[in-house]
C-alpha cells in the first residue's frame, strides 16, 4: 500500500493517512503536517484532528472540495520529518494507594511482580501522548513497560472515577471523567485532565510527553481539595 | 421574557450548531441532532440560523411564561399546546405572561426545537452554547433541563414580525422537511474504510433495510439487520471520527455516530452520512427503518447549499411581511378546535 493515502470521511472530512502502524516517527509526520496546515491553512479548512497515524482535516464543503484540498495538502507534505521534540515532560502525580488503585493488588499477582515493583515500573519512563480521545482529554499513551502489561477486566465497571490511572494490554491511560471502563485501575491522580471552565481546559496535548510521579495518600488528599 | 420549567420532559437540552475546534482534544461537537429544524425555527424568528434553542426529545416539557415575546417550533410533531390549544410542528407564536406551553405525546418524529426571538441568555462554553452531557459542558449548567430551572431571553425578547406556521407554497423554495421519516433513505459517501469489506458486503449494506434499535441516543444509533462481514481485519489503528460515520464493529452490526460521537475509534467505517441528511437520523426512533444510498461529494455539497439558500430566501420573504400583524381566531370544526392565524402576505 502506498502512503500517504487520502480518504474521504463524508462531505466534510479528508483523512491523510501516513502508515498502517504506530510509531513515534509516524506521529512526527502527522504533527508536522498539522503544523504546516495550521501555519498556512488552505481555504475552507476548519479543524485538524491528529491521531496515531493520520490527520483528519475537517473542511467546509461550501468553500473547498476534496480535490482542491488534496492538491493543497500534497504541496505541504513533509519531505523530511524531524523527530518530535521531547519538550517539557508533564508531571502527573499519582497515588498508588490500594484504596484508589482498585486492581493494583490483582495486577501485581498477574504479572508476577511486587506492588512496589509495579509502581516503580509504571513511574520510571516518559510516555508519549499519541492522541487524545474517547472522552475529552483522555490520553492514548505509548511506552508502557511490557513487564506490567495486563489484559482488561472481563467485565467493564459501570463507573470509573475521574483521575483513575489504568492499564489495558500494553497501554496505560487516565480517565478524565467519571465513566464506564474496563481498564485495570492502579492509582488515581488529583489533577483534572479536563475542566471546561478554564481558558486552557485540557491538561495534555497530543505529541507531548508525560511522566507519572508517585505521591502519598495524604498528598493526594491535600491536592484534591478544591477539585 | 422568562421560561419556567414546570416539567423538564424526557431529555430537553440547549443546543446550537455545535462546538468547533476541540476534536483534537477529544471533545465532541455536540449540537443539534437535526440542524435543519434548529435553523428553521430560528429563521422564522429572524434569529441567525445557528442560534441556541431547546432540543426537545419525544416527551416534551411544560414551560410557563413570564413577560412576553415570540417563540418558534420546528422539527418533530410532539403535540405542542399553548394554553391547551394545538400548535403546528413548525410555527412561530407570540406568548405573554401566564401562558403555558406543553406537549401531549410524540405524533411524528423524535426531536423538536424551541427557539426564542433574540436567543437565550446563557454563557458560551468553549465557543458554543451546546450541551455535551457526558462532559457536563455547555448549555444550561452542562446538563439536561430539570424542574425549577429558569431560562431567560438574551435581549428584551423582540416580538417577531411573523407569527404562524411555515408559509406554504412559496414559489422557488425547496420543501423544508421530508417527513415522516419512518422509512428513511439516507445518502452516504463510501469510506474511509470501505476497503475493509468486499463488494458483496458493500452491496448488502446498500440493499438492506436497517432497523433502529433501542440503543439510540445523541452519541449514535445502533442498527439491526444482516451481519456485515469484514474481509479479514476487523479493527483499524484508531483514527478520527466525524458525526455521520458508520462504524462496523467485529459483530457486524453498524453504528451510525451522531452529534455527541467520540472523536476517535478503532472500528472500520464503511461509509459516512452526508451533512444534509444527518438530521434525518435525529428524527428517527427505535423501530424505524432506514436504507442507505450512495451519492457523490458534488451532490452532498449541493444539498447543503440548497438548504442554506432556502433559509436565506425564507428570511427575505419573512422580512417583506413586516408590518402585517396576524389576527388569531379559534375555529371549531368536526375535527376539534383550532387556533387559526390570518395574516396578509405579499
Amino acid at each position: 500500500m502506498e502512503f500517504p493515502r487520502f480518504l474521504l470521511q463524508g462531505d466534510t472530512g479528508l483523512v491523510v493517512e501516513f502508515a498502517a502502524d504506530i510509531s513515534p516517527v509516524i506521529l512526527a509526520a502527522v504533527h508536522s503536517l498539522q503544523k504546516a496546515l495550521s501555519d498556512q491553512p488552505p481555504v475552507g479548512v476548519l479543524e485538524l484532528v491528529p491521531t496515531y497515524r493520520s490527520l483528519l482535516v475537517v473542511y467546509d464543503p461550501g468553500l473547498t472540495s476534496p480535490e482542491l484540498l488534496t492538491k493543497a495538502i500534497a504541496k505541504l507534505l513533509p519531505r523530511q520529518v524531524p523527530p518530535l521534540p521531547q519538550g517539557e515532560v508533564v508531571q502527573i502525580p499519582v497515588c498508588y494507594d490500594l484504596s484508589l488503585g482498585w486492581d493494583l493488588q490483582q495486577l501485581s499477582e498477574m504479572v508476577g511482580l511486587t506492588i512496589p515493583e509495579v509502581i516503580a515500573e509504571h513511574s520510571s519512563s516518559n510516555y508519549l501522548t499519541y492522541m487524545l480521545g474517547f472522552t475529552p482529554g483522555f490520553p492514548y499513551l505509548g511506552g508502557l513497560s511490557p513487564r506490567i502489561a495486563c489484559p482488561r477486566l472481563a467485565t467493564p465497571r459501570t463507573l470509573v472515577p475521574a483521575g483513575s490511572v489504568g492499564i489495558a494490554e500494553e497501554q496505560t491511560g487516565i480517565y478524565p471523567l467519571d465513566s464506564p471502563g474496563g481498564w485495570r485501575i492502579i492509582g488515581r491522580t488529583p489533577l483534572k485532565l479536563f475542566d471546561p471552565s478554564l481558558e486552557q481546559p485540557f491538561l495534555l496535548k497530543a505529541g507531548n510527553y508525560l511522566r507519572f510521579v508517585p505521591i502519598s495518600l495524604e498528598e493526594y488528599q491535600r491536592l484534591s481539595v478544591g477539585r | 421574557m422568562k421560561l419556567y420549567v414546570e416539567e423538564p420532559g424526557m431529555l430537553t437540552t440547549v443546543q446550537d450548531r455545535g462546538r468547533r475546534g476541540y476534536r483534537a482534544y477529544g471533545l465532541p461537537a455536540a449540537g443539534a441532532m437535526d440542524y435543519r429544524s434548529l435553523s428553521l425555527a430560528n429563521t422564522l424568528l429572524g434569529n441567525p440560523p445557528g442560534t441556541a434553542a431547546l432540543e426537545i426529545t419525544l416527551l416534551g416539557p411544560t414551560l410557563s411564561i413570564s413577560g412576553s415575546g415570540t417563540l418558534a417550533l420546528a422539527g418533530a410533531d410532539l403535540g405542542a399546546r399553548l394554553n391547551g390549544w394545538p400548535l403546528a410542528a413548525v410555527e412561530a407564536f407570540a406568548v405573554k405572561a401566564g401562558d403555558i406551553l406543553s406537549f401531549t405525546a410524540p405524533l411524528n418524529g423524535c426531536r423538536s426545537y424551541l427557539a426564542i426571538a433574540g436567543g437565550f441568555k446563557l454563557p458560551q462554553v468553549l465557543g458554543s452554547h451546546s450541551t455535551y452531557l457526558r462532559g457536563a459542558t455547555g448549555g444550561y449548567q452542562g446538563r439536561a433541563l430539570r424542574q425549577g430551572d429558569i431560562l431567560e431571553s438574551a435581549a428584551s425578547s423582540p416580538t417577531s414580525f411573523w407569527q404562524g406556521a411555515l408559509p406554504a407554497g412559496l414559489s422557488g423554495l425547496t420543501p423544508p422537511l421530508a417527513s415522516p421519516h419512518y422509512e428513511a433513505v439516507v445518502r452516504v459517501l463510501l469510506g474511509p474504510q470501505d476497503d475493509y469489506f468486499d463488494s458483496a458486503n458493500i452491496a448488502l449494506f446498500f440493499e438492506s433495510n436497517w432497523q433502529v434499535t433501542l440503543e439510540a441516543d445523541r452519541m449514535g444509533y445502533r442498527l439491526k439487520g444482516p451481519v456485515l462481514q469484514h474481509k479479514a481485519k476487523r479493527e483499524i489503528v484508531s483514527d478520527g471520527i466525524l458525526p455521520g460515520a458508520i462504524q462496523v464493529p467485529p459483530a457486524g452490526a453498524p453504528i451510525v455516530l451522531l452529534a455527541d460521537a467520540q472523536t476517535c475509534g478503532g472500528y472500520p467505517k464503511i461509509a459516512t452520512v452526508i451533512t444534509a441528511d444527518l438530521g434525518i437520523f435525529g428524527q428517527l426512533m427505535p423501530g424505524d427503518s432506514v436504507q442507505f444510498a450512495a451519492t457523490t461529494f458534488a451532490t452532498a455539497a449541493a444539498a447543503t447549499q440548497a438548504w442554506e439558500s432556502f433559509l436565506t430566501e425564507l428570511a427575505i420573504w419573512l422580512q417583506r411581511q413586516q408590518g402585517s400583524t396576524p389576527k388569531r381566531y379559534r375555529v371549531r370544526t368536526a375535527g376539534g378546535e383550532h387556533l387559526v392565524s390570518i395574516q396578509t402576505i405579499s
Side-chain angles (χ1 to χ4, degrees), chain A residues 5 8-11 47 53 136-137, chain B residues 21-23 25 237 240 242 275:
Chain A
R5 294 205 298 162
L8 290 191
Q9 186 166 172
D11 55 4
E47 196 163 356
R53 45 82 191 238
Chain B
Y22 297 98
R23 297 194 84 78
Y25 296 91
V237 173
L242 289 173
T275 308

Side-chain angles (χ1 to χ4, degrees), chain A:
Chain A
M1 204 174 282
E2 203 141 317
F3 291 104
R5 294 205 298 162
F6 292 83
L7 307 171
L8 290 191
Q9 186 166 172
D11 55 4
T12 61
L14 185 67
V15 184
V16 188
E17 201 175 88
F18 285 91
D21 53 349
I22 301 174
S23 78
V25 176
I26 301 301
L27 192 73
V30 173
H31 282 259
S32 160
L33 179 62
Q34 182 191 17
K35 185 172 186 314
L37 284 173
S38 35
D39 289 349
Q40 299 171 265
V43 175
V45 170
L46 300 174
E47 196 163 356
L48 302 167
V49 189
T51 54
Y52 279 119
R53 45 82 191 238
S54 60
L55 183 70
L56 170 60
V57 181
V58 187
Y59 62 88
D60 178 345
L63 296 177
T64 187
S65 69
E67 288 75 30
L68 287 173
L69 263 185
T70 303
K71 269 186 212 159
I73 291 170
K75 283 185 206 151
L76 295 173
L77 280 174
R79 285 204 178 70
Q80 278 195 322
V81 181
L84 280 172
Q86 173 134 336
E88 189 200 349
V89 179
V90 182
Q91 310 279 316
I92 307 283
V94 177
C95 175
Y96 294 93
D97 191 86
L98 291 180
S99 63
L100 303 172
W102 296 345
D103 303 312
L104 184 54
Q105 176 88 51
Q106 200 191 23
L107 184 135
S108 84
E109 287 160 16
M110 288 172 78
V111 301
L113 297 174
T114 65
I115 287 174
E117 282 169 340
V118 171
I119 295 171
E121 201 71 24
H122 190 252
S123 57
S124 64
S125 47
N126 291 342
Y127 296 91
L128 174 57
T129 304
Y130 274 95
M131 59 181 192
L132 301 174
F134 174 58
T135 55
F138 181 95
Y140 288 80
L141 301 174
L144 183 72
S145 157
R147 295 183 65 205
I148 54 172
C150 190
R152 290 173 173 80
L153 296 172
T155 309
R157 291 191 172 92
T158 51
L159 184 71
V160 177
S164 293
V165 176
I167 286 178
E169 304 293 347
E170 302 209 345
Q171 296 184 85
T172 182
I174 313 160
Y175 284 84
L177 308 172
D178 290 347
S179 54
W183 293 32
R184 288 186 199 269
I185 305 305
I186 59 166
R188 202 181 297 171
T189 176
L191 297 186
K192 272 189 165 183
L193 273 72
F194 172 55
D195 184 347
S197 69
L198 300 180
E199 202 173 311
Q200 296 282 352
F202 302 96
L203 183 66
L204 303 172
K205 194 170 188 261
N208 285 0
Y209 283 84
L210 67 80
R211 192 181 179 95
F212 297 108
V213 181
I215 56 168
S216 67
L217 189 56
E218 291 69 38
E219 204 165 352
Y220 171 84
Q221 279 154 352
R222 189 175 60 75
L223 291 168
S224 298
V225 173
R227 254 193 72 137

Side-chain angles (χ1 to χ4, degrees), chain B residues 288-299:
Chain B
D288 289 345
S289 72
V290 58
Q291 255 200 315
F292 296 107
T295 190
T296 62
F297 170 78
T299 308

Side-chain angles (χ1 to χ4, degrees), chain B residues 85-336:
Chain B
W85 293 90
L87 295 164
V90 179
E91 177 162 1
F93 52 98
V95 289
K96 56 182 190 322
D99 281 353
I100 303 279
L101 180 65
S102 62
F103 295 80
T104 54
L107 303 170
N108 182 14
C110 184
R111 291 178 175 89
S112 175
Y113 293 84
L114 178 68
I116 184 167
F120 287 107
K121 186 179 179 182
L122 288 168
Q124 281 206 344
V125 177
L126 306 178
S128 164
H129 286 115
S130 284
T131 313
Y132 171 52
L133 292 167
R134 279 183 176 77
T137 303
Y140 190 96
Q141 299 176 11
R143 58 167 174 80
L145 294 188
R146 290 181 199 150
Q147 189 175 21
D149 288 346
I150 302 168
L151 290 149
E152 204 176 334
S153 59
S156 57
S157 176
T159 306
S160 120
F161 38 85
W162 178 257
Q163 287 164 36
L166 186 68
L170 295 183
S171 62
L173 296 189
T174 335
L177 285 168
S179 69
H181 302 296
Y182 299 125
E183 286 186 9
V185 177
V186 166
R187 292 168 291 179
V188 300
L189 296 180
L190 273 177
Q193 280 94 30
D194 49 314
D195 59 346
Y196 275 62
F197 304 87
D198 62 19
S199 55
N201 278 280
I202 300 275
L204 188 63
F205 172 73
F206 284 118
E207 285 158 9
S208 304
N209 254 310
W210 298 97
Q211 205 180 39
V212 176
T213 67
L214 285 169
E215 288 173 271
D217 61 14
R218 287 184 42 87
M219 194 169 173
Y221 279 28
R222 277 178 195 266
L223 305 179
K224 205 172 90 182
V227 170
L228 294 176
Q229 304 263 2
H230 304 72
K231 264 197 244 173
K233 279 169 48 179
R234 295 169 170 200
E235 291 188 28
I236 60 170
V237 173
S238 286
D239 71 0
I241 285 177
L242 289 173
I246 306 173
Q247 284 186 331
V248 184
I255 303 170
V256 184
L257 295 164
L258 298 167
D260 287 359
Q262 67 273 32
T263 54
C264 59
Y267 298 130
K269 298 172 279 295
I270 189 169
T272 308
V273 177
I274 68 170
T275 308
D277 288 0
L278 267 177
I280 296 176
F281 269 98
Q283 296 300 351
L284 289 179
M285 280 189 291
D288 289 345
S289 72
V290 58
Q291 255 200 315
F292 296 107
T295 190
T296 62
F297 170 78
T299 308
T304 299
Q305 193 52 53
W307 180 255
E308 302 293 332
S309 308
F310 165 74
L311 289 182
T312 308
E313 279 185 66
L314 177 61
I316 292 168
W317 186 90
L318 289 168
Q319 279 208 332
R320 283 213 308 268
Q321 313 312 316
Q322 231 162 352
S324 125
T325 316
K327 293 190 172 65
R328 311 204 102 188
Y329 300 93
R330 290 177 175 184
V331 175
R332 189 167 291 148
T333 66

